Amino acid sequence: MASASALAGQMLASRILPSSVMAADPAPTLLTHAIPATGEQIPAVGMGTWITFNVGNDEKLREQRTEILKTFFAAGGAMVDSSPMYGSSEEVIGYCMDRIGDRKPLFSATKVWTVSKWLGVRQMRESESLWGEQQFDLMQIHNLLDWEAHLETLKDWKAEGRLRYTGITTSHGRRHDELADILVKQPFDFVQLTYNIQDREAENRLLPLAADNGRAVIINRPFRRGELTAKLAKHPLPGWASEIDCTTWAQVLLKFVISHPAVTCAIPATSRIDHMAENMAACRGAMPDAALRKRMIADIETL
Ligand SMILES: NC(=O)c1ccc[n+]([C@@H]2O[C@H](COP(=O)([O-])OP(=O)(O)OC[C@H]3O[C@@H](n4cnc5c(N)ncnc54)[C@H](OP(=O)(O)O)[C@@H]3O)[C@@H](O)[C@H]2O)c1
């Protein structure tokens, strides 16, 4: 578990204002954003594990995923997001972390994905064991599944110090009405949802609601499950990419997401070490301002 002070000590805090462009820096610092509930800073790019870490018992793949995590931490990364829904991913994370040894950089985020309070408790205990964590940094309710039953446990566990933050997730634009209601009425510290340069529905209501109600926001599917990176790879980078220190489309897509003022971090998933290094580089250098964000949308829509 990474404490607030340890993280704050490692990283320089910065927050993007809607109409500011962060000037390019010769040794750019890592972009971090504050978790509204506490002010703790976390890096604006984390990592997802759906499919990519579901590699079962394959020793070679497990070693390669360990290298991906090492690359992630070496680049300043912290938040790793998983779920019991992701096959062997939680077990593989635990394996990798055992090999890495030093757990300090890790901001552990998993989910409860089952029905009933009792099964939820059992599943969360199992996740602790698989990751080798005594206290998750963040426990989220996956896809709103039986959220009323799990919320009670999450509140109790937080009060007991067994987890640090609570959260709730959705994706693919599902159940936004219900999530909006939950965001206003329930005490979740984090919300996780889908937002990318093509799927921008969250801009209308959920992102402003999260900001107004002091919720941290995690963005899943920043590459639309790889569809956007694959589609854009056929096109040269626009001239403005260099203004925001991007050398690849993946960085353009990530900077678009993490420069939204309500977004705390994005969690792209990758099975490749070079892609991990590339993605973490999006956490550094100049960021798009509001005007450039509009231009990015318009230009990419024509491709
Ligand atoms: N309801 C929920 O709670 C929910 C739902 C969806 C997702 N999530 C979380 O969000 C995470 C991210 O979403 P996602 O995995 O669906 O999709 P994503 O991160 O948008 O896309 C992943 C795909 O992008 C490719 N990619 C990654 N970096 C790249 C790069 N630099 N250049 C080119 N391609 C790149 C990966 O391929 P390579 O392996 O080849 O790099 C992979 O196929 C998940 O892993 C999961 O942790 C949560």
Side-chain angles (χ1 to χ4, degrees):
M1 185 205 73
S3 72
S5 55
L7 276 174
Q10 282 167 18
M11 304 152 202
L12 281 179
S14 54
R15 186 71 184 133
I16 298 171
L17 298 171
S19 58
S20 71
V21 176
M22 294 173 71
D25 181 338
T29 50
L30 190 77
L31 177 68
T32 65
H33 287 155
I35 298 169
T38 57
E40 176 181 355
Q41 298 283 330
I42 52 168
V45 177
M47 64 170 267
T49 58
W50 179 61
I51 298 183
T52 51
F53 270 61
N54 182 16
V55 298
N57 290 320
D58 187 313
E59 279 296 316
K60 212 170 149 196
L61 289 178
R62 282 181 170 221
E63 291 312 319
Q64 193 269 359
R65 284 350 184 233
T66 306
E67 293 307 312
I68 288 181
L69 263 175
K70 279 186 190 166
T71 306
F72 175 65
F73 292 135
M79 180 186 284
V80 176
D81 174 85
S82 196
S83 169
M85 191 208 248
Y86 304 162
S88 61
S89 294
E90 291 193 297
E91 187 188 336
V92 172
I93 292 167
Y95 172 96
C96 297
M97 290 309 301
D98 276 355
R99 261 131 204 91
I100 293 169
D102 182 6
R103 284 177 177 258
K104 275 200 287 297
L106 176 66
F107 185 103
S108 54
T110 196
K111 309 187 188 95
V112 55
W113 179 64
T114 186
V115 288
S116 90
K117 184 177 170 72
W118 179 77
L119 285 177
V121 167
R122 198 171 79 170
Q123 190 177 62
M124 289 189 282
R125 285 189 183 138
E126 171 76 1
S127 291
E128 286 173 339
S129 157
L130 290 170
W131 283 63
E133 287 291 290
Q134 290 178 336
Q135 178 200 48
F136 275 106
D137 291 304
L138 169 61
M139 181 61 74
Q140 307 155 97
I141 298 171
H142 200 147
N143 286 350
L144 280 67
L145 186 61
D146 210 1
W147 67 266
E148 280 145 314
H150 303 312
L151 177 58
E152 291 312 309
T153 315
L154 262 52
K155 281 187 199 164
D156 290 348
W157 281 29
K158 187 177 167 184
E160 289 162 18
R162 194 159 176 175
L163 54 87
R164 298 204 303 135
Y165 296 105
T166 60
I168 189 154
T169 81
T170 187
S171 62
H172 306 64
R174 291 186 195 122
R175 295 170 73 182
H176 278 192
D177 287 342
E178 189 178 354
L179 189 60
D181 194 48
I182 291 170
L183 267 185
V184 174
K185 294 181 184 156
Q186 304 298 337
F188 289 104
D189 302 310
F190 277 79
V191 60
Q192 182 184 142
L193 48 86
T194 295
Y195 176 58
N196 57 56
I197 205 158
Q198 187 169 330
D199 303 309
R200 301 190 308 277
E201 191 191 338
E203 284 176 351
N204 301 330
R205 190 156 53 124
L206 288 181
L207 290 175
L209 263 186
D212 291 348
N213 287 278
R215 318 296 181 187
V217 179
I218 300 173
I219 299 300
N220 59 44
R221 303 181 75 216
F223 302 141
R224 219 169 192 248
R225 283 159 62 173
E227 186 190 311
L228 288 172
T229 37
K231 180 176 107 178
L232 292 170
K234 302 177 200 114
H235 302 278
L237 278 180
W240 44 253
S242 62
E243 290 172 30
I244 50 170
D245 301 317
C246 290
T247 55
T248 70
W249 277 112
Q251 291 166 354
V252 166
L253 294 169
L254 286 174
K255 288 203 176 194
F256 176 80
V257 168
I258 63 175
S259 62
H260 188 291
V263 170
T264 310
C265 69
I267 47 165
T270 183
S271 58
R272 286 177 45 166
I273 294 167
D274 58 339
H275 283 173
M276 174 53 76
E278 189 183 325
N279 296 347
M280 285 309 293
C283 230
R284 298 179 190 270
M287 296 288 155
D289 64 7
L292 182 51
R293 285 172 52 81
K294 276 191 190 155
R295 193 170 164 200
M296 291 164 86
I297 294 167
D299 287 358
I300 288 174
E301 265 171 6
T302 65
L303 299 176

